[in-house]
Amino acid sequence: MNNFISKYKNTALIAMAVFSLSSCLKDEGAENGTYGMSAFAGGEFVSLPLSANNPNALALESKAGNQTLSLFQANYENVDKAPEDIVVNFTPDAAAVTAAGGLTALPAGTVTYASASPSVTIAKGTRVSPAFTCQINTGSLDPTKAYGLAFTISSVSKTGVSIPKNLKTVVYKIALKNKFDGVYKVTGPMTDVAVASLTQWMPSWTAYLETTGPTSVAVRDMTATGGIYHPIMNNGAPSYYGSFGMVVTFDPATNVATNMVSPYEPSPSGRIARLDPTFSSKWDPATKNIRIKYHMFQPGFGGGGPRVIFDETWTYQGPRK
């Protein structure tokens, strides 16, 4: 009797499992690829896996001339590898850029393609295409804006292939950086001729050089304030110069610093930032380090000369994240 019950109990469980599996396979979302699931036997999908990360971050150098972008790959999802070459065609999608929020679509002509119809090919016997590439010219773009670039699968050459709705459009957020942009360690002496107890932050402080134009950067203090200020010690205690910071412009051909201003000019205190005219402050393309001398001027201090004299080395640590 017990064996009889056990026999039919197991049969019932098997039937329930088969019914559940059948229900899953008949789910419209699974069949048309809305969920982006790997295909079951007999189903074929082509997708853009990076769509799951929208928007994807892309940092580019702000400079004249074309740069090659190596972007996304297309995947063939099936129990077997691609039975033939599968061409996946794309169209630029400005609407997807707008929908991502806070992004400006790239102006016409900024991006160019190797062919009139942007595409990649998933080769026979493989599952993944080479990376889709294009050319971009960032020279005329505003580095203070966040630009966007998007592509949507428009067609697939193989019949019977489905395109998951949530994996057919890939969006990129483009941040522009010039070659001087990065993370730097600041060392070197400073002298405040008005208040001797104000000294350099020791032993060093971390600065982000943030792109503000094709050849200019703002110096953000990441050790003490998190702002565009110069941190200092006041009798050994943390402090900083209020209403004073540094924005530096370089000559892109010679890498020599040509100008420095404070972003707070004109400030209530009258503080301004200027390069030392007797020294050639310069970015080294081999090391990416910067040797720089500059001054802080303030009315009423220094007898018409600089109140603070900075003689610093900005040592490159790596790119900003």
Side-chain angles (χ1 to χ4, degrees):
M1 181 67 174
N2 288 339
N3 289 338
F4 178 85
I5 294 174
S6 176
K7 174 183 177 182
Y8 285 94
K9 181 187 296 183
N10 292 340
T11 301
L13 290 173
I14 292 171
M16 290 177 64
V18 170
F19 176 78
S20 298
L21 179 59
S22 174
S23 298
C24 176
L25 296 183
K26 291 181 179 178
D27 187 310
E28 181 182 358
E31 290 183 344
N32 67 19
T34 297
Y35 307 139
M37 298 170 63
S38 296
F40 52 85
E44 296 177 274
F45 296 85
V46 166
S47 67
L48 305 179
L50 283 181
S51 296
N53 301 328
N54 286 342
N56 295 268
L58 192 62
L60 301 178
E61 186 176 341
S62 178
K63 65 177 183 179
N66 283 337
Q67 302 177 56
T68 299
L69 299 185
S70 181
L71 299 175
F72 53 87
Q73 295 170 292
N75 279 21
Y76 175 70
E77 300 180 38
N78 184 258
V79 292
D80 299 314
K81 295 179 181 179
E84 61 187 69
D85 285 356
I86 301 174
V87 179
V88 185
N89 297 301
F90 310 100
T91 55
D93 195 337
V97 172
T98 301
L103 301 181
T104 300
L106 288 169
T110 304
V111 181
T112 55
Y113 310 102
S115 61
S117 177
S119 65
V120 293
T121 299
I122 303 171
K124 178 181 178 179
T126 68
R127 298 184 186 277
V128 182
S129 75
F132 171 70
T133 61
C134 59
Q135 299 285 320
I136 184 170
N137 189 328
T138 59
S140 62
L141 300 180
D142 182 351
T144 63
K145 291 183 178 180
Y147 289 95
L149 178 65
F151 297 91
T152 293
I153 297 176
S154 55
S155 65
V156 178
S157 64
K158 187 178 185 303
T159 59
V161 173
S162 299
I163 304 170
K165 293 178 181 177
N166 65 328
L167 294 176
K168 68 182 296 185
T169 301
V170 62
V171 181
Y172 286 90
K173 177 181 180 180
I174 300 174
L176 296 178
K177 297 181 180 181
N178 60 40
K179 64 183 180 181
F180 312 106
D181 195 295
V183 180
Y184 291 78
K185 180 175 71 174
V186 180
T187 56
M190 57 155 273
T191 302
D192 189 317
V193 300
V195 185
S197 62
L198 300 180
T199 58
Q200 178 69 286
W201 187 283
M202 296 297 290
S204 65
W205 56 279
T206 298
Y208 279 8
L209 269 59
E210 301 176 346
T211 296
T212 58
T215 62
S216 62
V217 287
V219 183
R220 184 178 298 276
D221 160 36
M222 298 303 296
T223 295
T225 66
I228 303 175
Y229 296 108
H230 194 299
I232 55 177
M233 295 289 189
N234 184 355
N235 280 320
S239 188
Y240 67 99
Y241 285 116
S243 301
F244 177 80
M246 301 87 73
V247 176
V248 191
T249 301
F250 295 86
D251 182 317
T254 64
N255 301 314
V256 171
T258 58
N259 190 45
M260 176 184 281
V261 297
S262 171
Y264 309 105
E265 298 179 23
S267 70
S269 64
R271 291 173 176 173
I272 61 174
R274 296 293 185 266
L275 292 168
D276 182 340
T278 67
F279 183 79
S280 180
S281 298
K282 189 174 183 179
W283 178 82
D284 183 345
T287 64
K288 298 188 177 182
N289 298 338
I290 298 171
R291 273 291 286 123
I292 190 166
K293 294 184 180 182
Y294 57 101
H295 301 147
M296 183 182 82
F297 289 88
Q298 183 174 346
F301 292 92
R307 171 183 166 176
V308 186
I309 301 169
F310 301 92
D311 182 358
E312 296 175 336
T313 298
W314 299 351
T315 305
Y316 183 74
Q317 305 296 295
R320 289 189 300 122
K321 303 300 184 183

